[in-house]
Amino acid sequence: EIVMTQTPLSLSVTPGQPASISCKSSQSLLHSDGKTYLYWYLQKPGQPPQLLIYEVSNRFSGVPDRFSGSGSGTDFTLKVSRVEAEDVGVYYCMQSIQLPITFGQGTRLEIK
Amino acid sequence: QVQLVQSGAEVKKPGSSVKVSCKASGVSFSNYTISWVRQAPGQGLEWMGGIIPIFGSANYAQKFQGRVTITADESTTTGYMELSGLRSEDTAMYYCARSLFWKAMDVWGQGTTVTVSS
C-alpha cells in the first residue's frame, strides 16, 4: 500500500501568519489519465473531515482562497497564506490512485 | 441539500458484530462510491473499504478483510458497514463518505461511535 508521510505533525501559528504542511507519498500519485490523486482534508474538533483541496491544487467549493495546494509526483504541500482562528484542527493528505486509500498521519494546527 | 445521515451510537460486547447505516438524501447515490473510514480515539483516519452501488461489489482494506462487509441498498439509498469479531481496538468513530469512484470524498456522514466493552 502507498504510505503517506506528513510533516510537521504539529504546528503553532500566530493569526495572520502563513502555514505550510508537507505530504510525501511512497509512490507517484500521477495516473495515466494525467491527473494526480492527492487530496487535503481538514478535521475541525468534533466534526467529520471536510474536503479542502482535490487533485493537488483545486480548491473545493466554498474553501477560502487562503488555502492552496501544490506539488507533483510524490511531494505535495498545503499552504495557508494567512491563518485564521477557524483554521484550527487536523489536516490530512490522502491518496486514491491505488486501493487501499491511505491517509497521512495528520498535522495538528493550533493558534498561538 | 446533500446529506449522509448515519445511525446512532452503539455499545457492543467483544466478539459480537455491529452494523452501521448511512442514508443518502438530496444526493445521487448509485453512481457514487460510499467509503467507510474509521478513527480510533485520538488517532488518524483509516479507510476500511467502499462500494459503488451500481457495480455491487465492495473493495476492502487488507486489514479488515474477512471481518467487514460493506453493502448498499439502492432502493433506500442506504449504505451499510458490518464489522464482526469486535474487539476493544475497534472502539472508534466510523464515518461514511461519498466520492465519485475512488476520488475526492466530498460529502461525509456525521459519524457513528462504536464502543466495544465487556
Side-chain angles (χ1 to χ4, degrees), chain B residues 41-115:
Chain B
Q43 301 301 306
L45 303 172
E46 182 174 35
W47 183 79
M48 301 177 69
I51 188 168
I52 305 175
I54 55 167
F55 295 155
S57 62
N59 291 84
Y60 302 113
Q62 182 78 12
K63 175 177 178 177
F64 300 99
Q65 199 89 27
R67 279 210 306 144
V68 68
T69 303
I70 293 172
T71 56
D73 183 339
E74 291 183 74
S75 67
T76 61
T77 64
T78 302
Y80 299 92
M81 185 282 300
E82 183 170 23
L83 187 62
S84 61
L86 290 171
R87 33 208 192 225
S88 59
E89 310 90 88
D90 294 317
T91 293
M93 181 73 81
Y94 290 77
Y95 294 104
C96 62
R98 178 195 84 158
S99 63
L100 184 59
F101 293 104
W102 302 109
K103 299 182 180 181
M105 297 179 198
D106 61 348
V107 180
W108 292 69
Q110 82 277 19
T112 297
T113 301
V114 175
T115 302

Side-chain angles (χ1 to χ4, degrees), chain B residues 14-38:
Chain B
S16 67
S17 298
V18 68
K19 191 170 186 176
V20 181
S21 68
C22 170
K23 180 164 177 61
S25 61
V27 59
S28 175
F29 181 76
S30 297
N31 296 331
Y32 284 83
T33 301
I34 297 293
S35 283
W36 290 88
V37 176
R38 84 173 184 182

Side-chain angles (χ1 to χ4, degrees), chain A residues 60-92:
Chain A
F60 186 56
S61 175
V63 174
D65 61 7
R66 63 178 182 277
F67 290 94
S68 64
S70 62
S72 63
T74 61
D75 288 354
F76 305 94
T77 302
L78 175 71
K79 291 184 179 177
V80 188
S81 59
R82 294 172 304 281
V83 170
E84 297 187 4
E86 66 181 24
D87 301 335
V88 162
V90 182
Y91 290 79
Y92 295 94

